[in-house]
Amino acid sequence: IMSLSFSADGARLASGSHDGYIRVWDATGVVLHTIQVWPRDEVAWVHFFPTYNQRQRLASVAYEATLNQWDVGTGGMMTTAEGCVFAVYSPDGRTLATACQPE
């Protein structure tokens, strides 16, 4: 495991791993969702969207510098950006600030 992040309600924990998967766990340690990062690469960083809503989001950055936002419920990718090494949501969830190198 390379990175961990709690959901806003504290009920779930996301882990990013060297095997190219993000896993979302419940409070008892049961894996609720497994998301394969594509291309399969080490997940260096994961972070839950800071506010709880019906469509729970998660951001990840892989070592090959790809930023993805995921729908936790479906495991579907919502957005992607290349050349990013870090990202963080603002506390109100309105902004995702990124550290990306322009092409």
Side-chain angles (χ1 to χ4, degrees), residues 35-54:
I35 300 168
Q36 182 178 356
V37 176
W38 190 260
R40 192 169 174 181
D41 191 17
E42 294 181 357
V43 180
W45 177 86
V46 293
H47 195 266
F48 266 104
F49 189 72
T51 59
Y52 184 79
N53 57 30
Q54 294 289 5

Side-chain angles (χ1 to χ4, degrees), residues 7-97:
S7 61
D9 62 2
R12 290 173 286 173
L13 180 69
S15 64
S17 186
H18 62 84
D19 65 1
Y21 287 90
I22 296 168
R23 292 175 180 84
V24 179
W25 312 76
D26 73 6
T28 66
V30 174
V31 176
L32 301 173
H33 303 286
T34 302
I35 300 168
Q36 182 178 356
V37 176
W38 190 260
R40 192 169 174 181
D41 191 17
E42 294 181 357
V43 180
W45 177 86
V46 293
H47 195 266
F48 266 104
F49 189 72
T51 59
Y52 184 79
N53 57 30
Q54 294 289 5
R55 191 173 187 187
Q56 187 68 52
R57 288 185 278 175
L58 179 73
S60 69
V61 174
Y63 269 107
E64 56 107 43
T66 301
L67 166 71
N68 295 310
Q69 284 192 90
W70 307 93
D71 181 313
V72 175
T74 67
M77 187 185 317
M78 297 169 60
T79 60
T80 188
E82 298 294 325
C84 299
V85 295
F86 192 76
V88 64
Y89 289 109
S90 63
D92 65 4
R94 292 181 183 201
T95 304
L96 179 63

